[in-house]
Amino acid sequence: FQAEDGIRDVERSRGLGDVYKRQNEEDIRRKDIREEDWVVIKRAGDVIPQVVGPVVGKRTGRERPFKYPERCPVCDAQVIREPGGVIAYCTNRLCPAQRLEALKHFVSQGAMDIRGLGPQTLEKMLESGLIRDPADLYSLTTEQIGQLPNFKEKSIRNLLKSIDESRSRPFPRVLFALGIRHVGEGVAELIARYFGNIEAVMKATEEEAASINGVGPEIAASLSAYFKDERNLDLVRRLKEAGLRFESEDDKSGVSAEELPLRGKRIVVTGTLRNFSRKEVKQLIRDLGGKATSSVSSETDFLIAGENPGSKLSKARSLNIPVLTEQELLELSAGPIEKARSEKIANGDTN
């Protein structure tokens, strides 16, 4: 291919190796990209590779129009695409490739974060019959893991420890780990916060789920379809038996989504906080019903200002955005707050 700043080797250009996986069928047709084509590659933000278009002058006549497969290349099942969608899906839920991808998602850092289970290890586990789905991970024994290549006493012990520690992951991460279509980390947080436990999620109607701010009908339909599948219900049952958390801590304390003090608010944090790392304060904001964002704009509801706040504080003041101190954030997280504080938040008082 040809990069915008010259010719490069795919192997030497980090992040460009998967570029073709990122192109959808409409985009390929619109740009008239064909098999055997040379293409111009552009880095977007030095991270995401984009195909700008073909190098027509390099065509030899061997190029062929690209056609998406109608059958899965792994299991030969029919491939479908949702109306209006751009991604094609294999229809076989038991497809080995689908099982592997579901497991890779389940153990990933944003989900159950099980260290020591890379793609190759998961593939070996599937091939050897040690596991079929995520629930089987929680019944693995020392002897079974020892059958895998490169697993010795210490690595086996570390893996079993990591699997056991994953049982303590909070409900939103478990919900995200299930791999429900269209349910990303943020949406999983919203759903878990609103319903409180998996039983309520499974019983919810599409209309009820769609009414959650940030969810909508498409995600609600996907959620409903997932829990109508008996195989998914069985997976959830087995994961519960394995000790995973399918209930929010807030559900135990009786706090509803409507009572969260930052519900639906967009929050920016600036400066150094004494009691929280940046990751911890973002999680706290989500726990209080808010959304942590990185830049101040007219859509920002509040700014949390620590020590040495910098330019974000000046911009927030110029936009008349309310500013909260770290102590005020702590008071919000402690439980019921004074009426005056509630009025300050509701009215956007900056004093």
Side-chain angles (χ1 to χ4, degrees), residues 193-194 255-261 263:
R193 173 71 65 189
Y194 186 89
V255 178
S256 68
E258 290 74 14
E259 296 173 306
L260 295 172
R263 180 172 179 253

Side-chain angles (χ1 to χ4, degrees), residues 53-70:
V55 183
V56 178
K58 281 186 170 287
R59 284 181 173 167
T60 64
R62 295 181 302 172
E63 295 78 15
R64 301 178 305 277
F66 180 78
K67 184 180 180 182
Y68 261 66
E70 296 179 356

Side-chain angles (χ1 to χ4, degrees), residues 164-206:
D164 186 57
E165 288 175 345
S166 74
R167 289 182 167 92
S168 65
R169 305 288 181 254
F171 177 34
R173 287 179 62 175
V174 179
L175 187 62
F176 171 60
L178 293 178
I180 303 170
R181 191 173 297 175
H182 306 310
V183 177
E185 290 183 71
V187 171
E189 287 267 3
L190 293 173
I191 293 170
R193 173 71 65 189
Y194 186 89
F195 290 108
N197 59 71
I198 194 64
E199 285 76 17
V201 175
M202 292 190 294
K203 293 177 182 177
T205 64
E206 285 189 37

Side-chain angles (χ1 to χ4, degrees), residues 94-115:
L94 301 179
C95 174
Q98 286 210 46
R99 285 188 169 188
L100 177 59
E101 292 303 315
L103 283 161
K104 286 164 61 177
H105 173 75
F106 185 85
V107 306
S108 64
Q109 187 173 2
M112 303 309 290
D113 193 17
I114 302 178
R115 309 295 175 89

Side-chain angles (χ1 to χ4, degrees), residues 26 33 67 69-70 86 166 172 225 246 253 287 326:
E26 280 73 16
I33 299 170
K67 184 180 180 182
E70 296 179 356
V86 296
S166 74
F246 282 95
S253 62
D287 289 344
E326 182 178 3

Side-chain angles (χ1 to χ4, degrees), residues 273 275-276 304-305 324-334 341:
L273 302 180
N275 298 284
F276 304 98
I304 308 296
L324 299 178
T325 65
E326 182 178 3
Q327 181 58 38
E328 288 172 328
L329 181 63
L330 285 168
E331 291 176 8
L332 286 174
S333 65
R341 181 76 66 207

Side-chain angles (χ1 to χ4, degrees), residues 86-192:
V86 296
I87 300 175
Y89 296 96
C90 169
T91 54
N92 178 16
R93 286 288 306 280
L94 301 179
C95 174
Q98 286 210 46
R99 285 188 169 188
L100 177 59
E101 292 303 315
L103 283 161
K104 286 164 61 177
H105 173 75
F106 185 85
V107 306
S108 64
Q109 187 173 2
M112 303 309 290
D113 193 17
I114 302 178
R115 309 295 175 89
L117 284 178
Q120 291 183 340
T121 299
L122 290 170
E123 193 167 5
K124 289 290 184 183
M125 286 182 168
L126 283 170
E127 289 175 354
S128 62
L130 291 180
I131 59 174
R132 297 165 300 153
D133 58 37
D136 289 334
L137 294 171
Y138 295 93
S139 59
L140 286 172
T141 64
T142 299
E143 293 72 21
Q144 288 176 318
I145 299 174
Q147 300 173 22
L148 300 169
N150 303 319
F151 272 88
K152 305 301 180 183
E153 183 178 348
K154 183 177 181 181
S155 55
I156 293 172
R157 186 168 61 249
N158 288 341
L159 176 55
L160 287 172
K161 179 182 178 184
S162 185
I163 292 173
D164 186 57
E165 288 175 345
S166 74
R167 289 182 167 92
S168 65
R169 305 288 181 254
F171 177 34
R173 287 179 62 175
V174 179
L175 187 62
F176 171 60
L178 293 178
I180 303 170
R181 191 173 297 175
H182 306 310
V183 177
E185 290 183 71
V187 171
E189 287 267 3
L190 293 173
I191 293 170

